[in-house]
Amino acid sequence: MDTTKQTETTGSRSFSGNKGYILKAENLRAFYGAFLAVKDVNLDIKPKSITAIIGPSGCGKSTLIRCFNRMHEVTHGARISGKVLLDGEDIYTPGIDPVSIRTRIGMVFQKPNPFPTMSVLENVVAGRRLTSVLSKRTEMEEIAEKFLRQAALWDEVKDKLKQSGASLSGGQQQRLCIARALAVEPEVILMDEPCSALDPIATLKIEDLMRGLAKDYTIVIVTHNMQQAGRVSDMTAFMMMGDDRAGGLIEFGRTDQIFTNPKDKRTEDYITGRFG
């Protein structure tokens, strides 16, 4: 469907097609050695939106988003074919520094992973210190406060900045990791099942945070939680493994359309719990 002149509305936000796409996969394939894990994915991610990627376990969701910031190639023998475009530029073009890509496309993992030997403050500025010189502690404190506030964590930890990041609760640790990702000021934030290890209260805090962050950032979230995808996302991509064991994109569209009127029977069967 041609969306170049359309405006799509989901929830409380509107997206004009003429704003284009910030992240785009073209004929993307991901391999682990000779094994094809993800095949022929074409996907456009709109700026300042939340895109959920759903599908059964093992269908390549996490592998796909790891391709989006060149984390996939960190695994020995892993490679891709096709393109991933960020602002129109192929991030796999020879000569492009993967670290610079990961600065522009941050990632939050399934299990909170604050650096245990660093304080809360040091955790937030860890990535920032790799990309710029922070000469004064006051500068570090200002940066930490700014992004802890963005991560809706400042009020809870402002008196604990010198404590280990690992001393926080699970939900606080995950928001600390989000603050750390935000501190390098990325354009896109990838979240790989960020709430799977959290209790319902912490999960709702992360969901509220995502909705707030989407005013300024583009978010792509992998989730097994259908209710979560329905609550937080504007667009939803459904993936499924084929007979060749490779994961492929079955359907992609507005979340309200995917959940109420999917075009593919396989999407409907998965969302209604008939399989997966």
Side-chain angles (χ1 to χ4, degrees):
M1 180 175 64
D2 183 5
T3 60
T4 55
K5 296 184 179 180
Q6 280 193 332
T7 297
E8 297 177 350
T9 303
T10 303
S12 61
R13 290 198 295 278
S14 296
F15 305 100
S16 177
N18 59 19
K19 292 182 181 178
Y21 303 97
I22 187 170
L23 192 64
K24 184 181 184 75
E26 292 186 351
N27 301 317
L28 182 64
R29 289 186 160 207
F31 298 83
Y32 292 98
F35 173 64
L36 177 62
V38 172
K39 63 178 181 180
D40 304 329
V41 170
N42 291 280
L43 185 63
D44 299 319
I45 306 297
K46 296 186 177 184
K48 297 183 181 180
S49 66
I50 302 177
T51 297
I53 302 178
I54 63 173
S57 296
C59 70
K61 303 183 299 297
S62 294
T63 296
L64 176 62
I65 66 165
R66 288 171 66 89
C67 293
F68 287 164
N69 72 341
R70 297 191 60 169
M71 285 292 293
H72 177 62
E73 66 192 53
V74 173
T75 303
H76 180 70
R79 59 187 174 87
I80 71 115
S81 66
K83 294 181 178 181
V84 176
L85 305 178
L86 175 62
D87 290 332
E89 180 182 29
D90 185 1
I91 67 172
Y92 285 90
T93 298
I96 290 183
D97 181 9
V99 175
S100 70
I101 296 301
R102 294 172 200 140
T103 300
R104 297 175 66 189
I105 306 177
M107 182 168 250
V108 176
F109 296 93
Q110 181 175 359
K111 183 178 179 181
N113 60 341
F115 302 128
T117 60
M118 292 185 182
S119 67
V120 170
L121 184 149
E122 291 168 336
N123 261 280
V124 177
V125 301
R128 186 67 168 262
R129 295 177 77 175
L130 293 175
T131 59
S132 59
V133 177
L134 301 181
S135 57
K136 298 179 181 179
R137 183 171 180 84
T138 53
E139 188 177 0
M140 293 172 57
E141 290 173 348
E142 289 171 0
I143 290 171
E145 179 177 351
K146 175 182 177 180
F147 293 104
L148 285 168
R149 285 188 182 278
Q150 279 198 16
L153 188 57
W154 172 252
D155 289 339
E156 297 172 43
V157 302
K158 61 185 178 183
D159 297 322
K160 303 177 182 179
L161 297 179
K162 295 181 180 179
Q163 295 183 18
S164 167
S167 68
L168 303 179
S169 70
Q172 289 174 331
Q173 287 185 29
Q174 193 63 298
R175 281 181 284 151
L176 177 61
C177 293
I178 293 171
R180 186 175 67 197
L182 294 173
V184 297
E185 299 184 286
E187 298 167 58
V188 180
I189 304 170
L190 309 175
M191 297 187 176
D192 190 0
E193 297 188 63
C195 303
S196 64
L198 304 181
D199 62 55
I201 294 175
T203 294
L204 288 175
K205 286 185 177 181
I206 297 291
E207 291 179 0
D208 287 341
L209 172 59
M210 282 191 283
R211 284 193 291 266
L213 291 174
K215 298 173 184 177
D216 300 301
Y217 301 91
T218 301
I219 298 174
V220 182
I221 176 175
V222 167
T223 180
H224 280 287
N225 187 323
M226 295 299 96
Q227 291 77 21
Q228 181 174 80
R231 285 192 298 262
V232 305
S233 69
D234 305 295
M235 308 293 290
T236 295
F238 171 58
M239 294 183 67
M240 184 175 159
M241 188 186 302
D243 293 337
D244 57 0
R245 297 175 56 216
L249 181 63
I250 303 301
E251 187 168 351
F252 176 55
R254 294 196 322 248
T255 295
D256 57 353
Q257 176 261 309
I258 292 290
F259 277 79
T260 61
N261 188 29
K263 297 177 181 178
D264 193 291
K265 181 68 163 50
R266 293 168 293 180
T267 309
E268 180 181 358
D269 288 346
Y270 180 74
I271 288 174
T272 57
R274 293 193 182 97
F275 79 88

